[in-house]
């Protein structure tokens, strides 16, 4: 792809552009595809598909090893220690193979308990769930040892290739899903398509790493100190991942046990909206781990990282802001037009899930610094508290309020732990100037965002959309107003230059 000659800064810029292109493609196609797919397979089957994916994703996680690998490889690269990289990869390869065996055993045990866990599913739904679970579970076990591939690519700052893979994966997956459903293959085809596209991407990444990065693995290497270091770091990351699974991915399981498949599908659509918003904020996140590692290794200047956090946070807030503002003001009508009246409660689910992201989604640089400084245990402890509170409220409210009850639990947990407590940690533990961050980022962008929200409500009250095409014109009008207000009232010279560069210089950057 020719990115070997592109420096780190350009890799970040082009990688970010490709991330947003990939996300944009996924959203546009998803808006058209998901309602059609639900009609093709049925609302209950969509709930079963969502439930199976969420349960498997709970078991199949990288246990924090990806972050540990990226952190260690980046540090070794900063010291030009290629031998150390080979040794690290050798140890982690053996760890992943061992964990894959443990995951396989856990999935078999869970399979044997399915009838006892999901008592609100019918006999037919249980049978379908078991088949989907087996197909997806087998692929997850096979693909598990290849999780470190992304860590290697990120550590060598090959962001363009990584984001290209993401885009190819989305295009191939969506294309095969559409073909399969048109041919009438139904629910099981959706899972098989994910398997085929996943295998294709693994093969492409393996080939690229072998040919372009040319990193080697010392599979015979043994070192207790390195293993202990990886283990200590990954334990805390594992706690975070497990807690995150409880916060979002375990919710369909809670609803399956306490409410039913319809509630799962209602929550799933709200989760789709939250997922789109999260992806836009995450598009820039992994790109900065090598850069922050170099700053800490060379000078350990918190002020430089605070400035970087403000710069990246403002871009993330601008992007996430229009999504959240647009959804708050226009989202209910959109959900009904998109998915139908049966999914109108998904608006409230999505609203509760995305609203806290106006703060937490803009602080990814602070989280990256926690990883670099090996202070990830603080976030782990916070996420445990978040998961416990979320699960408690969700179990309490789900039987009566269904998907909305679970979403309320997530909202309460995020406000208390992910926003309030985490910002205290960012300020007092790792020394970031959080007060300055909020002043420079959120406060300076608040007024145009509030005005845009009021304009959104005015548009919604004044014009009713009979279809999605008309609705798109309403959303586009709000987006134009939002952009102009931001340009006049909020954007600094760097951000204006960035926008102009994206619009006029994409071809030159390539």
């Amino acid at each position: 792809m020719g990115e070997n000659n592109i420096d780190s800064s350009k890799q970040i810029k082009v990688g970010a552009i490709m991330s947003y292109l990939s996300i944009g493609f996924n959203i546009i196609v998803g808006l058209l595809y998901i309602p059609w797919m639900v009609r093709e397979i049925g609302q209950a089957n969509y709930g079963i598909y969502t439930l199976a994916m969420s349960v498997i994703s709970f078991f199949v996680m990288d246990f924090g090893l990806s972050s540990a690998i990226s952190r260690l490889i980046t540090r070794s690269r900063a010291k030009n220690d290629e031998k150390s990289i080979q040794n690290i990869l050798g140890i982690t390869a053996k760890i992943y193979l061992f964990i894959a065996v443990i995951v396989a055993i856990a999935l078999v045990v869970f399979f044997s308990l399915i009838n006892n866990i999901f008592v609100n599913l019918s006999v037919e739904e249980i049978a379908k769930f078991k088949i989907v679970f087996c197909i997806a579970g087998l692929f997850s076990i096979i693909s598990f040892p290849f999780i470190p591939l992304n860590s290697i690519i990120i550590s060598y700052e090959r962001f363009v290739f990584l984001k290209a893979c993401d885009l190819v994966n989305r295009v191939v997956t969506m294309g095969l899903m559409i073909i399969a459903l048109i041919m009438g293959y139904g629910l099981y085809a959706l899972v098989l398509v994910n398997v085929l596209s996943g295998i294709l991407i693994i093969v492409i990444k393996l080939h690229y790493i072998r040919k372009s990065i040319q990193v080697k693995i010392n599979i015979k290497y043994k070192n207790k100190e390195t293993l202990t270091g990886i283990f200590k770091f990954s334990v805390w990351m594992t706690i975070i991942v497990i807690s995150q699974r409880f916060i979002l991915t375990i919710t369909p399981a809670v609803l399956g046990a306490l409410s039913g498949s319809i509630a799962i599908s209602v929550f799933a659509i709200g989760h789709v909206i939250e997922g789109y918003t999260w992806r836009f904020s995450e598009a820039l996140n992994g790109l900065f781990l090598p850069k922050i590692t170099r700053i800490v290794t060379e000078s350990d200047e918190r002020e430089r990282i605070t400035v970087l956090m403000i710069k990246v946070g403002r871009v993330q807030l601008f992007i996430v802001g229009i999504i959240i503002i647009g959804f708050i003001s226009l989202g209910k009508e959109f959900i009904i037009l998109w998915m139908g009246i049966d999914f109108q409660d998904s608006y409230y689910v999505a609203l509760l899930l995305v609203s806290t992201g106006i703060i937490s989604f803009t602080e990814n640089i602070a989280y990256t610094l926690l990883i670099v400084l090996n202070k990830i245990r603080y976030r782990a402890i916070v996420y445990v508290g978040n998961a416990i509170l979320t699960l408690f409220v969700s179990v309490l409210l789900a039987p009566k309020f269904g998907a909305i009850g679970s979403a309320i639990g997530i909202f309460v947990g995020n406000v208390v732990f992910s926003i309030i407590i985490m910002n205290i940690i960012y300020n007092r533990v790792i020394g970031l100037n959080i007060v300055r961050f909020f002043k420079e980022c959120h406060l300076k962008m608040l007024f145009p965002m509030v005005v845009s929200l009021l304009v959104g409500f005015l548009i919604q009250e004044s014009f009713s959309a009979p279809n999605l095409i008309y609705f798109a014109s309403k959303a586009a009008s709000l987006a134009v107003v939002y952009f102009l207000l931001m340009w006049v009232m909020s954007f600094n010279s760097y951000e204006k230059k960035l926008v102009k560069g994206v619009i006029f210089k994409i071809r030159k950057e390539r």
Side-chain angles (χ1 to χ4, degrees):
M1 289 187 179
E3 70 269 28
N4 290 339
N5 297 322
I6 305 176
D7 60 25
S8 176
S9 177
K10 289 188 177 180
Q11 280 279 336
I12 291 174
K13 288 181 181 179
V14 180
I17 291 171
M18 294 190 69
S19 292
Y20 289 127
L21 287 175
S22 177
I23 295 167
F25 169 83
N26 199 43
I27 291 175
I28 292 171
V29 176
L31 293 178
L32 301 173
Y33 166 75
I34 290 179
W36 174 72
M37 183 261 284
V38 172
R39 288 194 298 269
E40 289 292 314
I41 67 174
Q43 188 176 5
N45 279 346
Y46 180 63
I48 292 169
Y49 173 75
T50 303
L51 177 61
M53 295 302 103
S54 68
V55 169
I56 289 172
S57 68
F58 180 76
F59 287 100
V60 183
M61 60 186 82
D62 72 358
F63 300 92
L65 291 172
S66 289
S67 296
I69 295 168
S70 294
R71 175 175 170 269
L72 291 172
I73 293 177
T74 303
R75 289 179 62 185
S76 297
R77 285 195 69 220
K79 300 175 183 177
N80 294 317
D81 189 353
E82 291 295 326
K83 186 175 181 181
S84 177
I85 295 173
Q86 297 173 16
N87 294 338
I88 291 166
L89 292 176
I91 288 178
T92 53
K94 289 182 282 189
I95 293 174
Y96 269 99
L97 288 171
F98 173 76
I99 294 177
V101 175
I102 302 300
V103 169
I105 295 172
L107 288 175
V108 170
V109 172
F110 184 89
F111 181 85
S112 67
L113 299 173
I114 286 175
N115 286 17
N116 298 322
I117 295 173
F118 301 113
V119 294
N120 280 321
L121 298 182
S122 67
V123 174
E124 183 182 1
E125 288 174 336
I126 287 288
K128 290 179 179 179
F129 175 78
K130 286 182 176 180
I131 295 173
V132 172
F133 182 85
C134 288
I135 297 171
L138 180 61
F139 167 71
S140 298
I141 294 167
I142 295 172
S143 64
F144 187 83
F146 299 100
I147 289 177
L149 298 181
N150 281 359
S151 299
I152 297 171
I153 296 168
I154 289 172
S155 299
Y156 280 83
E157 300 181 78
R158 305 297 176 86
F159 304 125
V160 175
F161 171 79
L162 183 62
K163 299 307 177 181
C165 281
D166 291 341
L167 183 57
V168 169
N169 189 25
R170 295 181 194 280
V171 172
V172 171
T173 301
M174 196 63 64
L176 290 177
M177 281 184 170
I178 292 171
I179 293 171
L181 290 178
I182 288 175
M183 295 177 68
Y185 290 117
L187 174 64
Y188 307 132
L190 299 182
V191 190
L192 289 172
V193 163
N194 279 292
V195 169
L196 292 174
S197 60
I199 292 173
L200 173 64
I201 294 302
I202 288 173
V203 171
I204 291 173
K205 289 178 180 177
L206 279 171
H207 178 75
Y208 179 83
I209 290 172
R210 188 166 63 90
K211 292 292 184 179
S212 296
I213 298 180
Q214 296 180 340
V215 63
K216 297 180 180 179
I217 299 177
N218 184 6
I219 198 70
K220 297 180 180 180
Y221 180 75
K222 297 178 182 179
N223 185 284
K224 182 179 275 189
E225 184 178 344
T226 304
L227 183 61
T228 302
I230 293 173
F231 177 76
K232 285 181 178 179
F233 183 88
S234 62
V235 163
W236 293 114
M237 287 298 297
T238 300
I239 293 172
I240 291 175
V241 173
I242 291 175
S243 300
Q244 287 175 326
R245 293 292 188 272
F246 270 101
I247 292 170
L248 278 176
T249 15
I250 203 66
T251 300
V254 172
L255 291 171
L258 300 177
S259 192
S261 61
I262 300 301
I264 297 172
S265 65
V266 170
F267 181 85
I269 295 302
H271 191 190
V272 166
I273 301 297
E274 189 274 340
Y276 288 151
T277 311
W278 177 82
R279 287 189 189 101
F280 270 110
S281 71
E282 283 286 300
L284 302 178
N285 189 29
L287 307 180
F288 288 94
L289 188 144
K291 183 171 184 176
I292 293 175
T293 301
R294 284 196 298 271
I295 293 174
V296 172
T297 302
E298 293 169 3
S299 59
D300 198 17
E301 293 182 19
R302 291 297 185 275
E303 195 62 26
R304 286 179 62 190
I305 298 175
T306 299
V307 171
L308 180 64
M309 183 178 176
I310 293 169
K311 182 184 291 187
V312 176
R314 283 175 61 90
V315 174
Q316 290 174 317
L317 181 57
F318 167 71
I319 295 169
V320 170
I322 183 56
I323 299 173
I324 294 178
I325 287 170
F327 190 78
I328 291 173
S329 57
L330 309 177
K332 189 172 185 179
E333 182 181 54
F334 166 73
I335 290 290
I336 294 173
L337 289 171
W338 178 39
M339 296 300 302
I341 194 70
D342 291 339
F343 286 90
Q344 62 179 331
D345 284 348
S346 296
Y347 167 74
Y348 302 103
V349 172
L351 195 62
L352 289 162
L353 296 185
V354 305
S355 55
T356 55
I358 203 77
I359 294 177
S360 60
F361 288 167
T362 64
E363 298 181 325
N364 288 328
I365 293 296
Y367 175 47
T368 303
L369 181 60
L370 277 178
I371 294 174
V372 172
L373 296 176
N374 199 17
K375 293 184 181 292
I376 202 67
R377 64 185 180 278
Y378 292 100
R379 189 172 177 101
I381 294 169
V382 166
Y383 263 80
V384 169
N386 192 346
I388 292 172
L389 179 59
T390 294
L391 192 60
F392 173 76
V393 177
S394 180
V395 170
L396 192 67
L397 298 181
K400 185 175 181 180
F401 300 103
I404 294 176
S406 291
I408 292 172
I410 295 171
F411 175 82
V412 171
N414 283 341
V415 169
V416 173
F417 289 95
S418 296
I419 294 178
I420 297 174
I421 297 180
M422 278 310 304
N423 276 285
I424 293 173
I425 291 172
Y426 291 150
N427 185 64
R428 296 185 179 180
V429 175
I430 62 177
L432 290 173
N433 192 339
I434 294 298
V435 174
R436 181 187 174 190
F437 169 74
F438 277 106
K439 285 181 179 178
E440 296 289 327
C441 185
H442 291 77
L443 190 59
K444 288 190 175 182
M445 302 180 83
L446 179 62
F447 183 71
M449 292 180 73
V450 171
V451 174
S452 298
L453 181 62
L454 295 176
V455 171
F457 282 125
L458 180 62
I459 292 174
Q460 181 58 37
E461 288 298 317
S462 302
F463 307 100
S464 177
N467 52 56
L468 280 175
I469 295 175
Y470 192 89
F471 178 86
S473 66
K474 290 170 59 175
S477 299
L478 177 57
V480 170
V481 171
Y482 176 82
F483 177 79
L484 292 175
L485 287 171
M486 282 290 185
W487 184 274
V488 174
M489 299 180 181
S490 180
F491 278 4
N492 55 39
S493 58
Y494 167 78
E495 288 152 0
K496 289 181 179 180
K497 183 179 178 181
L498 188 65
V499 172
K500 291 176 182 177
V502 171
I503 295 174
F504 299 111
K505 299 181 181 179
I506 291 177
R507 184 174 297 178
K508 184 177 179 180
E509 290 287 356
R510 289 178 179 176

